[in-house]
Amino acid sequence: MNKLAICFICMGNICRSPTAEGVFRRLVEARGLNNYLYIDSAGTHGYHTGCSPDPRSASIAAKRGYDLSAIRSRRVEAKDFRDFDYLIVMDQENFAFLKALRPSEAKAETRLLMEFSKQFTERDVPDPYYGGPRGFERVLDMVEDASKGFLEYLLSKDLAAVKETSSPQR
């Protein structure tokens, strides 16, 4: 069996998408599902390739028990459209960028993270990079809520089939 592969995507892969990766990873581990999912994050632009998450993101996340320290920024590649089942995007601008980049042989389903939110009406997770700490906290609030909804979606749609054919790898 191959694990179900999810990649969270924002512009620079130092604020929103690593936050989503860290939050989702912990949700998955809490449910005992880490053998069934492969979780990553990337950015549409390579401004920060190889860098750790923004210290403000890491600090706010750590206060709520999320560890982002092992995450390193990388840029989305054409192969990500084949290697991942889901590309979960933080905003409509980066969604449009991915749509233009999408190769014809792509298999990944591309969705906005906020489609899965139960509490927020916004379609985009705002970029907190140029703002203060409250912006990073709001991003974390939004990501926590939408990530729970996304996991529930996967449990109802994809994970039952993945677990039936189990012998985890990847």
Side-chain angles (χ1 to χ4, degrees), residues 45-138:
H45 295 72
Y47 307 133
H48 306 285
T49 300
C51 293
S52 299
D54 185 291
R56 298 167 294 177
S57 287
S59 175
I60 300 270
K63 287 178 184 173
R64 295 195 199 173
Y66 303 107
D67 181 8
L68 309 183
S69 64
I71 299 171
R72 295 295 174 268
S73 177
R74 71 176 188 86
R75 186 173 185 184
V76 171
E77 301 174 31
K79 72 182 192 75
D80 291 333
F81 290 90
R82 292 184 310 273
D83 292 348
F84 287 91
D85 298 291
Y86 289 94
L87 300 178
I88 303 299
V89 190
M90 300 300 122
D91 62 51
Q92 295 174 70
E93 180 181 345
N94 287 296
F95 187 92
F97 184 93
L98 287 178
K99 188 175 178 182
L101 185 65
R102 186 178 182 85
S104 59
E105 74 279 3
K107 76 163 187 163
E109 186 175 332
T110 306
R111 305 279 298 265
L112 288 169
L113 177 63
M114 293 310 291
E115 291 177 36
F116 303 99
S117 175
K118 305 255 192 281
Q119 294 179 342
F120 298 91
T121 58
E122 293 95 328
R123 301 259 309 147
D124 291 349
V125 177
D127 189 345
Y129 188 77
Y130 294 105
R134 182 61 198 126
F136 286 87
E137 288 180 23
R138 178 146 177 83

Side-chain angles (χ1 to χ4, degrees), residues 2-59:
N2 285 328
K3 292 182 177 186
L4 192 62
I6 292 113
C7 187
F8 294 96
I9 298 171
C10 68
M11 184 174 289
N13 191 215
I14 60 166
C15 296
R16 297 171 291 172
S17 57
T19 296
E21 178 184 346
V23 167
F24 197 72
R25 188 176 304 282
R26 192 169 93 191
L27 288 172
V28 165
E29 289 170 358
R31 290 276 190 96
L33 298 170
N34 41 324
N35 288 332
Y36 304 103
L37 288 141
Y38 176 78
I39 304 162
D40 195 8
S41 62
T44 56
H45 295 72
Y47 307 133
H48 306 285
T49 300
C51 293
S52 299
D54 185 291
R56 298 167 294 177
S57 287
S59 175

